[in-house]
Amino acid sequence: MTVTGWRLLVTIAGAGLLTGPAHAQSQGGEWQTDFTKHTVPLDEIVPGGPPKDGIPAIDKPNFVSVAEADEWLSRREPIVVVAVGQEAKAYPLQILIWHEIVNDVVGDLPVTVTYCPLCNTALAFDRRLDGLLLDFGTTGRLRHSDLVMYDRQTETWWQQATGEGIVGTYSGRDLTFVGAPTVSWDTFKRQYPEGLVLSRETGHQRPYGRNPYAGYDNPGGGPFSRFFRRAPDDRLPAMERVVAVQLGDVSAAFPFSVLAKRRVMHDDLDGGSIVVFWAPGTSSALDAAEIASGRDVGSTGVFSRRLGSRTLEFESAGDGSYRDTQTGTTWNLLGVGTAGPLTGSQLEPIPHGNHFWFAWAAFRSNTRIVR
């Protein structure tokens, strides 16, 4: 398998492994990170090609209306959704794939919205920690093929897939996840017709809509070996997409191949009863050269089954909708009641990611596969 992404268009010949403080000195003192503090072996963190901030985060995002974005987004394109209070924002993967990080505020919540193409991890975090308002950039480095971010306030390095501080001042600390499901553009605009959409006017010239990693998520392939230096967990195919959920210290993975057949799965995770929805109609951002033409991989939602005093059971109602068996209410992929006694109710979202299996298993080796 060949990866044609921008990372690999940057010369990486002769790139060595990270070796701690000496590495910072060899890079002209570009880092103020305290390399004596770390929770992972430093030699697991490898150069990905671009230098520090070589993949530029979007720090001053501009937004357009749904009607304006509809001119350049197709109905199946994947969108990361962050909704806080009365405000909902869409972050198209056709933009995130070129920038990987957006520092923003949704409602009154400061968030950073992130995407690592090599692991297919689209996740959002609260930017507040210990009274500091953090903003994030790209280190240019990877661990187990996953983006290593840094905050500009302390230059701590953070593992994007887990939100853990791994090198520097905040080593051992965790960022707080914010719900950020990846759904189709059609799903977003139906639910949030007054929502805001990240604009292509980013201040950078990139071929938005193009996929620089064409063919990367071949189901029969594997992680790019230059950046993934361990044996993949063979309980599932390496490039299987999974809904990755962690509650407390307990984690579970729901394979897309199972969800595509069942559409609805229930589980009890660390004492919490959850439901996982899957619906067709969302294209892969990592398949075809044009993201809009990517094969349909579907999208997901994860929610608590508890609503008031009830614990609901769900079944597929067809056409990407779901029905609870207690009240007969119909629900959409975003967990909103659309018809029946509970119309307008919102199920409590559970933060989750749609990762490649190899990536989730690398960080959560004890995860339980729900089949």
Side-chain angles (χ1 to χ4, degrees), residues 1-67:
M1 174 179 58
T2 300
V3 181
T4 58
W6 183 45
R7 284 186 186 277
L8 304 184
L9 297 179
V10 179
T11 300
I12 54 178
L17 296 178
L18 179 67
T19 56
H23 176 80
Q25 295 169 6
S26 71
Q27 296 298 318
E30 66 172 336
W31 290 105
Q32 302 303 312
T33 305
D34 183 353
F35 288 98
T36 66
K37 297 179 179 179
H38 55 92
T39 60
V40 302
L42 293 176
D43 61 6
E44 289 185 351
I45 306 171
V46 300
K52 178 184 184 182
D53 292 320
I55 297 176
I58 299 176
D59 295 315
K60 296 180 179 179
N62 297 306
F63 291 85
V64 298
S65 68
V66 166

Side-chain angles (χ1 to χ4, degrees), residues 196-233:
L196 297 174
V197 185
L198 181 64
S199 169
R200 285 174 154 185
E201 299 300 321
T202 63
H204 302 275
Q205 295 297 316
R206 297 289 187 273
Y208 300 123
R210 297 281 296 176
N211 166 25
Y213 302 86
Y216 177 67
D217 68 346
N218 180 343
F224 193 67
S225 60
R226 184 187 296 275
F227 303 133
F228 192 80
R229 303 179 175 184
R230 59 191 301 168
D233 186 320

Side-chain angles (χ1 to χ4, degrees), residues 114-125 146 160-163 177 180 182 236-246 252-256 286 300 351-364 367:
T114 68
Y115 180 59
C116 177
L118 295 185
C119 295
N120 196 51
T121 49
L123 303 166
F125 305 94
D146 182 59
Q160 182 254 3
T162 62
F177 284 97
T182 300
L236 288 171
M239 304 304 280
E240 168 90 55
R241 281 175 166 81
V242 297
V243 177
V245 184
Q246 177 148 341
F254 301 78
F256 270 44
L286 299 166
T300 64
H352 68 284
N354 294 341
H355 305 346
F356 291 134
W357 166 245
F358 82 84
W360 180 245
F363 295 106
R364 297 289 182 259
T367 198

Side-chain angles (χ1 to χ4, degrees), residues 31-316:
W31 290 105
Q32 302 303 312
T33 305
D34 183 353
F35 288 98
T36 66
K37 297 179 179 179
H38 55 92
T39 60
V40 302
L42 293 176
D43 61 6
E44 289 185 351
I45 306 171
V46 300
K52 178 184 184 182
D53 292 320
I55 297 176
I58 299 176
D59 295 315
K60 296 180 179 179
N62 297 306
F63 291 85
V64 298
S65 68
V66 166
E68 291 173 286
D70 211 29
E71 297 179 1
W72 46 269
L73 281 169
S74 72
R75 63 187 304 272
R76 293 195 308 118
E77 281 202 54
I79 305 294
V80 179
V81 181
V82 179
V84 179
Q86 300 301 306
E87 186 168 57
K89 289 185 174 180
Y91 302 84
L93 287 194
Q94 65 158 262
I95 299 175
L96 276 173
I97 203 169
W98 295 98
H99 294 280
E100 301 192 358
I101 295 174
V102 179
N103 294 299
D104 196 15
V105 177
V106 182
D108 59 356
L109 182 65
V111 299
T112 188
V113 182
T114 68
Y115 180 59
C116 177
L118 295 185
C119 295
N120 196 51
T121 49
L123 303 166
F125 305 94
D126 188 329
R127 294 198 283 128
R128 299 169 299 181
L129 188 65
D130 290 350
L132 280 179
L133 180 60
L134 306 177
D135 54 273
F136 294 84
T138 58
T139 63
R141 288 150 175 89
L142 300 161
R143 177 169 171 260
H144 305 329
S145 282
D146 182 59
L147 165 66
V148 177
M149 323 182 291
Y150 79 99
D151 71 75
R152 299 195 181 107
Q153 285 65 39
T154 72
E155 297 214 346
T156 297
W157 291 13
W158 300 86
Q159 191 75 62
Q160 182 254 3
T162 62
E164 297 171 333
I166 57 173
V167 181
T169 303
Y170 281 133
S171 292
R173 298 293 298 277
D174 296 307
L175 298 172
T176 299
F177 284 97
V178 175
T182 300
V183 300
S184 69
W185 169 238
D186 188 58
T187 297
F188 178 85
K189 67 182 183 179
R190 286 176 183 272
Q191 181 61 40
Y192 302 112
E194 304 302 319
L196 297 174
V197 185
L198 181 64
S199 169
R200 285 174 154 185
E201 299 300 321
T202 63
H204 302 275
Q205 295 297 316
R206 297 289 187 273
Y208 300 123
R210 297 281 296 176
N211 166 25
Y213 302 86
Y216 177 67
D217 68 346
N218 180 343
F224 193 67
S225 60
R226 184 187 296 275
F227 303 133
F228 192 80
R229 303 179 175 184
R230 59 191 301 168
D233 186 320
D234 62 5
R235 287 182 290 164
L236 288 171
M239 304 304 280
E240 168 90 55
R241 281 175 166 81
V242 297
V243 177
V245 184
Q246 177 148 341
L247 293 179
D249 294 326
V250 181
S251 63
F254 301 78
F256 270 44
S257 58
V258 177
L259 283 162
K261 296 174 182 177
R262 299 190 57 174
R263 304 296 175 98
V264 178
M265 294 180 72
H266 300 86
D267 196 52
D268 291 312
L269 199 62
D270 197 36
S273 295
I274 66 171
V275 62
V276 182
F277 295 157
W278 181 93
T282 303
S283 60
S284 165
L286 299 166
D287 177 32
E290 294 287 339
I291 290 176
S293 301
R295 73 182 184 282
D296 186 352
V297 293
S299 52
T300 64
V302 181
F303 307 95
S304 170
R305 291 170 50 208
R306 294 284 299 174
L307 186 65
S309 60
R310 295 184 174 103
T311 299
L312 301 176
E313 296 274 346
F314 295 87
E315 61 187 10
S316 174

